[in-house]
Amino acid sequence: MYEKYFQKYNPKPVWNLKFYKNDDQYSDGDIEDRIVEIIAENEPEQYTEAIRRDFGWPVYYHLTRTRRNILSWYDFEAESDVLEIGCGFGAITGLLCDKCKNVTAVELSQRRAMGALLRCRKKENLEIIVGNLNDIDFDKKFDYITLIGVLEYQGRFTDSNNPYKDFLTKIKQLLKPNGKLLIAIENQYGLKYWCGAQEDHTGVPFDGMNQYLYTNQGIRTFSKEALKNLISESGFKNTYFYYPMPDYKLPTVVYSENYLPKEESMQNVEMYYSRNDNSLVADEKRIYKDIIENNTFEFFANSFLVECTDSDDVGNIYFASICDDRIAEYQLGTKIYADAEVRKYALNNKGAEHIRQTVQNEMNMQAYGLNVLGSRMQGKELSVPYTDSISFEQLFVEICRCGDEDEVVRMVEVLYDQILHSSEIVSSEENIMYTLMPDTKDNGVDYGPIMRKGYIDMTFKNAFVEDGELMWYDQEWMLENIPADYIIFRSLGTVYFSYRDLNDIIPMEWLIKKCGLDKAWNDFVRLETFFSASIRDELHINESATFKKVDETTYVNNIKKLWIDKNEI
């Protein structure tokens, strides 16, 4: 039935049906045929517009580029052989092909395997084997094996009295000495499940916490300790736990056992509910602050990514964040290493120039006398030393929460002075706003000094305080002929958006007027809209936002159903 695709595309990977038993056993239904068609009709990984046309959870989930974030940051050895178990429609298969020498992908469903083949049709270092891993004989061993969203199904697909352990034991035998297994799986006790979210596999709220007592589908997840013990019993000597958030399927940030979130870290992580939010009884996002303060994050994290090996070489990367909501040229990731190094990398080949420009921006700032941490290029990545110094943002937030208005104003003045000394000041007539928004030229508003080079990431967030001096880093963006006041606008907007409680202590409106920004504020909002539109992938953002919309009345109504006297709420 797939001959037409072979004839039309002549895919490069090896297509192996030797172990296929003509039984796919699982599926999202007929929509999978459409997913194969979408993959065939579009260039590899260019699916955003197609997702919009056939929008729904299966299409979005299988085709969104955000799926790649689970391993885009991971440092595979370039000369390695990788076995991907359960490749599905190839969400991360192409990524593995780009990072490693040879990839063998196994998929039980022929239809999904065909999607992976077409998605990776230009990859010459890939073999796709259709069949159950338990039936396949391999003629080599591997440096890495990935098990992304697969372990939980082995009660159904591994015929054994102890299917999970036996499956992992078989996998270990396929690894080279000191090879690594990467397991991604939901946490049986993830916070979203305590909040009432439907269990990802069965659709039944609280199913995992009830030990899957009523569903009994041969599917189960594990707590951290249970998973750690299972891996150990399967013969692995060492593990290292990562915590992808909001979960491993669509991660935007990855914490680890040596780098856990602090205080309000979760406030900028957007939660999503793939099925729906109808069964929620609590707001997941609001609870993380308490969980973090009480040192219980690792128990409640929604997902795990576990590095399993006999080697002592584990946990080399402590933290990663991934920004894929921009257009291709500006999609970047950041990772913090165990040896106190921070690196920024491009998510695709188009982002290399933007990485280099960030280094150049900081060099230019340093030439004007500002202190910078010292970014440099290391291969294709930007490298900068890690520091434990307090960030300017943290200091600003602490002062705000103390209610010290004078000191808050002084900190804004310190920032403003740094901005004014970062570049040459030019005539107000050169203000870029007069070009982008001609109506602002004669409206009588004073937009303040105009910077020849405006480093618009000179915000509270992008500076550390060391010995009373500001040390700048992560200066991605430079716009020419930009008002210095606009950079202050961005700084205040960013910090007040991230820390909503500040507005109740020192209102942003008061600070805007105190800084003399009130008359220009709305025009700066328009300018920010221009800038954001030039870098953001709005279609991708809107598609993902569909699953993040939660009506607070949902929680209240569900609690009322559980409460004896509904009138008390």
Side-chain angles (χ1 to χ4, degrees), residues 187 224 241 243 256-258 260 291 295-301 304:
N187 178 6
K224 177 184 175 179
F241 274 73
Y243 307 101
S256 78
E257 55 188 70
N258 283 322
L260 298 173
I291 283 176
N295 299 314
T296 55
F297 174 80
E298 293 178 277
F299 179 82
F300 288 104
F304 308 122

Side-chain angles (χ1 to χ4, degrees), residues 402-415:
C402 291
D404 190 338
E405 295 178 349
D406 291 339
E407 184 62 15
V408 165
V409 172
R410 189 192 72 80
M411 292 182 73
V412 175
E413 290 173 346
V414 168
L415 174 59

Side-chain angles (χ1 to χ4, degrees), residues 123-154:
K123 307 296 184 184
E124 298 183 352
N125 60 337
L126 172 64
E127 178 181 9
I128 297 178
I129 303 175
V130 186
N132 188 323
L133 178 87
N134 296 304
D135 301 328
I136 299 173
D137 297 320
F138 295 93
D139 58 5
K140 65 177 180 180
K141 294 193 175 184
F142 301 89
D143 299 287
Y144 300 94
I145 298 178
T146 66
L147 207 59
I148 311 298
V150 174
L151 177 60
E152 57 266 40
Y153 291 98
Q154 294 319 302

